[in-house]
Structure formats: structure tokens, C-alpha cells
Amino acid sequence: MADELNLYSARHYDSDERLYDAFTEETGIEVNILEGDSDQLIERIQREGVASQLTSCLPLTQAACGARKRKSIFQSVESDVLNERLPESMRHPDGLWFGFSQRARAIYYNRDNVDPSQITSYEDLADPQFEGKVCIRSSNNIYNQSLLAAMIEHHGEEGAEEWAQGVVNNMARAPEGGDTDQILGVASGECDIAVANHYYYVRLLKSDDDADREAARKVGIIFPNQDDRGTHVNVGGAGVVEGAPNRENAVRFLEYLASDTAQEIFASGNNEFPVVEGIKKDPVLESWGNFKTDDVNISVLGENNPEAIRIFDRVGWR
Ligand SMILES: [Fe+2]
């Protein structure tokens, strides 16, 4: 019993296996993994509660750690290792959860049809000059919820709603598919502009399939809002569940996620941005140089998440 850790994970990347294996090798602690989408996992934790032998740790995306739900599932962790290794913006003020990797929610443009100097911010996505030209996935996706939660933080609820309405007005098609489909939509000319996390683009650039690489070459990437708050990032985060039976192992796992080994796996496995200084990035990411990221604290995005969902509903962003 002592040497195990039960891990609820809403991530779905093959490289995470390497992450868990390396942890077991280092510590002798076996990791039992339960995968599912964030809502399912949270529901299950709430339903089974402390009685379950399963709860310990939960790598999630930030919005799933929303205030409403978060309070009831995570407990506070105080760790010198985490305080030292992680930037402040990646630590919840009460230690309820921590961010371990970053994915930039970037903008993509068709190199033939769009002058990239015309689109430098998320706000530009709502500019009427791009009517009928924007591809972006549905609002039930956590990445867009998190982006809108950031807009609420920066523009207030009304400003964020106006923006969301503007984006809906500019949509080239009703939202369909995942992030990769939005980038491919730009390549095929169905839209001129799209929004997607950076690693989907990197995957196409590095694909074994000629057609993928060909498509990616037609598309350029923009890191928005470099002149003000910086580009919005999705965070890969984790916390220790309230009442976790293997608390010590769970804390150890969090500390492990901040180690060089784990940070390098994030960087090489899924082309994510490490959050610890000095970790070598993937060469493609390296070639983009440094860019400014929006360092709004991860807890704020969780708190604004329910309002973001209501705004999406009101403006008809499916
Ligand atoms: Fe993803």
C-alpha cells in the first residue's frame, strides 16, 4: 500500500507513460492511472470521496480546477521544492494546485491570403475585417474556456462577451473538430485565420505524412499580444486530492513533475513549454525564440471558468 500512487489524469498524451515510468524507476512508487475527461474525473472523485483508495493526484488543465469544484477536491500543499522550482504564476496561492507545463494558444494564418501584421492580438479575432474568416473549435473545449476566462480577467465580463460575440460573427464555419482541424482549415483555405495550441502545429510540421507537412507549410504562427499582456497559455496542472490515502507519495509526485527529468519529458514528448528555467526546449520551439506569455495566476482562470461558459452560451458559440 505504501508504495503506490493513484493518479487521475485528464491528459491523453503517449509521452506521459514515460513520465510515470521514470517516476516509478526513481522512487519505487507504483502509479495507478485512471484516465478520463476532467468533468468525469471530478465527478468520480466527488462521488467516491475519501472512501476510495484511488484518490491522490490529478493532472488537469487549469479550467477544470475552477473555484467551485476545486475547493471540494484539492487540499493545500506546502513544498519548498515547488516554491523554489516553479514560477509564482504556476502556483495556486493556497497550494491547491500547480502548473508544470505550458501550451501557447496561438493564432495561425494562411501565408498566401493574410498579412500577419494585420493580426497581432486575440482582440483582432473579433475585428469585422475578418468576417467569415476565422476557424475555432467549440466552446465545450477547455482550451477556449480558459482563453475566455483570461479575456474576462483583462476586459471584464462585458468586454469579454463583446469579444466572444465578435468572434462568433467572424466564424468561417460552425465550430467543428479539434485544434488540428482548425489549422488544416487554414491550410485548405476554408478559413484564413485559426486558433489552436502550438503543439498541434508542431505535430503537423514534424509529421511522417507528406500531406501534413505540406499543409503546415502553408500556415504561419502568431504569438498574440506581444505588445501588451502576452500570449495566453494553457497549463498542465496537478494537485493532491482532499483525503488522499497516499498523500506523501502524491506530494513527491508533484515535486517530481518539477524536476529536470520530468520537465524534459514534457518538452520533448509533447513539445510543450517547460515551466522550470533552463530546460532545453524542442528545436522548433527554440527557433520561435522567446515570447511574452500572459502570467495571470492559474487560479484566476479557474475562478472565471463558470462565467466563461455562460458567456459562450449567451453569444451562441456552440
Ligand atoms: Fe491538447
Side-chain angles (χ1 to χ4, degrees), residues 137 177-185 196 200-201 203-204 212:
R137 71 193 291 176
D179 275 15
T180 304
D181 299 303
Q182 315 311 313
I183 300 170
L184 293 176
Y200 294 105
Y201 180 58
R203 254 183 234 167
L204 290 173
D212 284 346

Side-chain angles (χ1 to χ4, degrees), residues 89-150:
S89 62
M90 293 293 114
R91 288 182 264 128
H92 183 280
D94 301 327
L96 295 182
W97 60 289
F98 302 86
F100 296 98
S101 69
Q102 291 184 320
R103 316 89 171 262
R105 196 124 185 89
I107 295 176
Y108 304 84
Y109 66 97
N110 184 296
R111 291 186 195 275
D112 292 332
N113 304 338
V114 179
D115 169 2
S117 71
Q118 296 296 295
I119 179 146
T120 60
S121 68
Y122 297 109
E123 286 74 7
D124 288 338
L125 294 168
D127 187 319
Q129 71 162 312
F130 297 118
E131 193 184 338
K133 299 200 184 305
V134 176
C135 279
I136 187 163
R137 71 193 291 176
S138 82
S139 64
N140 62 23
N141 170 259
I142 205 106
Y143 303 148
N144 284 341
Q145 291 170 11
S146 168
L147 176 60
L148 186 54

Side-chain angles (χ1 to χ4, degrees), residues 35 61 73 76 110 124 155 179 183 185 190 207 227-228 230 240 247 255 259 262 287 301 305:
E35 288 188 0
T61 43
I73 66 166
S76 181
N110 184 296
D124 288 338
H155 296 290
D179 275 15
I183 300 170
E190 195 178 354
S207 171
D227 295 333
D228 43 78
V240 177
R247 184 179 199 278
E255 292 175 347
S259 70
S287 76
L301 301 175
N305 186 259

